[in-house]
Amino acid sequence: MDKTALVTGGTRGIGLGIAEALASASFNLILCGRRPAKAVAPTLAQLALHDVSVDYIQADLGSPEARQRLMSTMRERYPKLDVLVNNAGMAPRERNNILEATEASFEEIIRVNLQGPYFLTQQCARWMIETRKDTTSYRPSIIFVTSISSTVASISRGEYCISKAGLSMANLLWATALAEHGIDVFEIRPGLITTDMTAGVKAKYDEMIGNGLLLESRWGTPADIGKAVRMLVQGDLPYASGQVLTLDGGLTMGRL
């Protein structure tokens, strides 16, 4: 039976690395993001070369109305959803010390990075529970892509850190709530990954990596995260719902 995965923010950066890994494993893809469909058409065509269907639905996950449109469209087009990857997120538009940060920035980041995926998960989980009642062999899964910023303080973007820490708790909450329904939930916590979001700090971290910041002396890649997601959704880490996979090259490991 065909399997379908929703990857939020799946047309660039980490999300695209995840989409590519799932397409290579024959998952049909539903991708969403803020950009218009025309802007992402070349990316969709490239993913479709894996001989899977690739659907794009424009949606700002910080909007309840947009989330509802996304859900309605998916349920019209697909009989079931096998995987939800909560990947979409944004950095603050301006980095400000928490002594100067604004409430407007805080509210935007929390709405997009935390409130959006939390309630998208609620809607997708309800659909998965309905489907599982009718199909006992159906074993869906949900992934939260967070950040080492869940636990590593960065006072120039406190709202981002808090949003990711909230997602880490969301992983535990949803894993607990959905266990009785046979739905596995995991968190993947990336470190320094080469994306548009990290381009502005590349020189800074290039120097730190050269000076031994990491156990693996390189930036992580979206493909690294994609491989981990593929492993989880294929059921290759059983007896482990709610667990966190930290993919950071050893950055947060305690060392003397």
Side-chain angles (χ1 to χ4, degrees), residues 30-93:
I30 308 168
L31 309 179
C32 71
R34 292 175 168 178
R35 292 185 290 170
K38 184 177 180 180
V40 301
T43 300
L44 305 184
Q46 190 67 30
L47 289 167
L49 294 177
H50 289 281
D51 197 27
V52 297
S53 69
V54 183
D55 204 351
Y56 179 78
I57 303 170
Q58 187 177 4
D60 177 355
L61 296 181
S63 162
E65 294 78 17
R67 290 195 301 272
Q68 187 55 55
R69 286 196 302 272
L70 171 63
M71 290 301 304
S72 297
T73 302
M74 287 195 300
R75 297 196 67 158
E76 288 171 2
R77 297 179 184 177
Y78 296 90
K80 63 182 176 64
L81 181 69
D82 297 274
V83 174
L84 166 62
V85 182
N86 286 301
N87 165 77
M90 64 178 291
R93 297 181 188 276

Side-chain angles (χ1 to χ4, degrees), residues 87-143:
N87 165 77
M90 64 178 291
R93 297 181 188 276
E94 294 183 3
R95 286 186 176 227
N96 288 309
N97 185 288
I98 59 175
L99 290 170
E100 283 80 41
T102 65
E103 288 197 38
S105 177
F106 187 94
E107 289 174 358
E108 181 180 35
I109 295 297
I110 295 299
R111 186 176 67 252
V112 173
N113 289 6
L114 179 55
Q115 185 173 342
Y118 187 89
F119 285 101
L120 179 63
T121 298
Q122 182 188 71
Q123 291 176 289
C124 289
R126 289 171 175 169
W127 185 14
M128 290 172 172
I129 291 168
E130 290 173 18
T131 305
R132 189 160 167 78
K133 289 178 181 177
D134 299 326
T135 311
T136 56
S137 61
Y138 170 68
R139 184 83 186 191
S141 55
I142 296 171
I143 311 290

Side-chain angles (χ1 to χ4, degrees), residues 124-244:
C124 289
R126 289 171 175 169
W127 185 14
M128 290 172 172
I129 291 168
E130 290 173 18
T131 305
R132 189 160 167 78
K133 289 178 181 177
D134 299 326
T135 311
T136 56
S137 61
Y138 170 68
R139 184 83 186 191
S141 55
I142 296 171
I143 311 290
F144 288 93
V145 179
T146 65
S147 166
I148 57 168
S149 294
S150 290
T151 59
V152 177
S154 177
I155 62 171
S156 64
R157 49 180 191 150
E159 59 270 71
Y160 181 82
C161 294
I162 289 173
S163 72
K164 294 299 182 177
L167 279 186
S168 293
M169 176 52 71
N171 169 61
L172 301 178
L173 291 167
W174 285 111
T176 302
L178 298 177
E180 66 178 284
H181 300 288
I183 301 173
D184 289 331
V185 183
F186 301 98
E187 176 188 349
I188 291 182
R189 193 175 291 175
L192 298 174
I193 308 297
T194 52
T195 67
D196 293 345
M197 189 180 291
T198 57
V201 294
K202 185 177 186 305
K204 170 186 174 181
Y205 285 106
D206 280 347
E207 181 178 358
M208 294 174 73
I209 291 170
N211 290 330
L213 178 67
L214 308 178
L215 295 180
E216 292 189 49
S217 187
R218 68 173 179 88
W219 282 78
T221 67
D224 293 330
I225 310 304
K227 290 175 183 176
V229 170
R230 182 175 61 198
M231 178 265 294
L232 291 174
V233 304
Q234 290 184 143
D236 292 337
L237 190 67
Y239 203 52
S241 188
Q243 294 302 303
V244 180

